[in-house]
Amino acid sequence: MADWTDCLNFGISVAKQASEIVLSAFQQQKEVKLKSSPADLVTETDQRVEKILISAIRNKYPEHRFIGEESVAAGECLELTDSPTWIIDPIDGTVNFVHRFPFVAISIAFTVNKQTEFGIVYSCVEDKLYHAQRGRGAYLNGQPLHASGQEDVSKCVVVTEIGAERDDLALSTMTSNIFRLLKLPVHGVRALGTAAVDMCQVATGGADAYYHIGMHCWDIAASAIIVQEAGGVIMDTDGSEFDMMSRRVIAASSSSVALCIAQVIQVFPCRRDDEDSSRCVCGVTGVNRV
Ligand SMILES: O=P(O)(O)O[C@H]1[C@H](O)[C@@H](O)[C@@H](O)[C@@H](O)[C@@H]1O
Ligand SMILES: [Mg+2]
Ligand SMILES: [Mg+2]
């Protein structure tokens, strides 16, 4: 069986180098562009960090393929093949980055034959490096991670996001989901503004579940394996097998908690990430300063 440890170590090294760029721009004024909605932001730093990451990795592994958030936004088609593929979110939490809210992460996942071999989530301001390699455990700054194992949803802290959607159906679905969970009741609902770091809290045991509708593969591909290697479970919001292209996910401390959340939450329709027509035409529009 192939060993991808060298790729993992290279991924960690480029994530740490790219973090320096994120941190140096964090306090600066930023030129903000809009993508799919008034809350779906992108900055020059997002685009620059992605270009630097892809260029460094391609230079070392020229035969590998890439799925990058900002490359797709610029019109590249999104297709996951059996080839070794790096799935990159250069800044997860761009709204946080623009507002200097201190939760921004570089998220890098690596797949072969469409199976995730490792994931890296680097929460730059916190200097917290989460990583996991298939079959070899999950770690935070080198220390092993273990999910909480909680099986009673009424004893859970649940993390979610109100993403970039601002249409009535998405907003009413997402807010009513939070209402229904609070009425179970659960102990609490949290949102950090970055799907990748949100989901890593399930791996640390600091949260017991995370769910989201509308995020993209690059938001959660890395943190999904980190949760699984920490002993958590990952599934689709209908309780079926996790599909990183479906734009729906539940991560939890146990199957019983995940299935309970699957019964409670409702979804709104999202086009899959790998529906070529939907991914090959979007781009950036408008410009304003923040
Ligand atoms: O900051 P991003 O890389 O754009 O990811 C965000 C996403 O845009 C937003 O809609 C929410 O899903 C957040 O949880 C993501 O981190
Ligand atoms: Mg993201
Ligand atoms: Mg991003």
Side-chain angles (χ1 to χ4, degrees), residues 120-179:
I120 302 162
V121 173
Y122 188 24
S123 181
C124 307
V125 178
E126 294 183 289
D127 190 22
K128 288 186 174 181
L129 183 87
Y130 302 87
H131 85 271
Q133 190 172 3
R134 187 161 63 90
R136 302 191 191 185
Y139 299 86
L140 167 55
N141 292 346
Q143 297 304 309
L145 287 176
H146 301 289
S148 70
Q150 180 59 253
E151 298 195 349
D152 180 347
V153 74
S154 70
K155 296 186 174 70
C156 284
V157 166
V158 181
V159 189
T160 190
E161 287 292 336
I162 302 292
E165 295 79 5
R166 290 297 180 270
D167 62 281
D168 290 357
L169 176 60
L171 289 178
S172 58
T173 304
M174 289 187 278
T175 51
S176 61
N177 282 341
I178 293 171
F179 178 87

Side-chain angles (χ1 to χ4, degrees), residues 69 89-94 105 107 193-196 215-216 218-220:
E69 176 182 5
D89 189 339
I91 298 181
D92 189 48
T94 298
S107 182
T194 146
M215 79 291 152
H216 295 283
W218 45 76
D219 292 318
I220 50 124

Side-chain angles (χ1 to χ4, degrees), residues 224-289:
I225 190 171
I226 292 168
V227 169
Q228 289 173 309
E229 288 296 323
V233 300
I234 299 279
M235 60 176 68
D236 198 299
T237 52
D238 63 3
S240 64
E241 186 180 356
F242 171 58
D243 170 359
M244 73 164 79
M245 297 296 168
S246 75
R247 300 187 62 199
R248 304 187 312 240
V249 68
I250 297 173
S253 50
S254 63
S255 295
S256 57
V257 164
L259 289 169
C260 183
I261 290 174
Q263 284 173 347
V264 168
I265 64 173
Q266 296 176 347
V267 300
F268 53 89
C270 292
R271 295 177 71 93
R272 289 177 55 88
D273 272 331
D274 53 0
E275 279 184 45
D276 282 353
S277 56
S278 71
R279 300 309 317 164
C280 293
V281 296
C282 68
V284 294
T285 59
V287 176
N288 55 40
R289 285 190 185 285

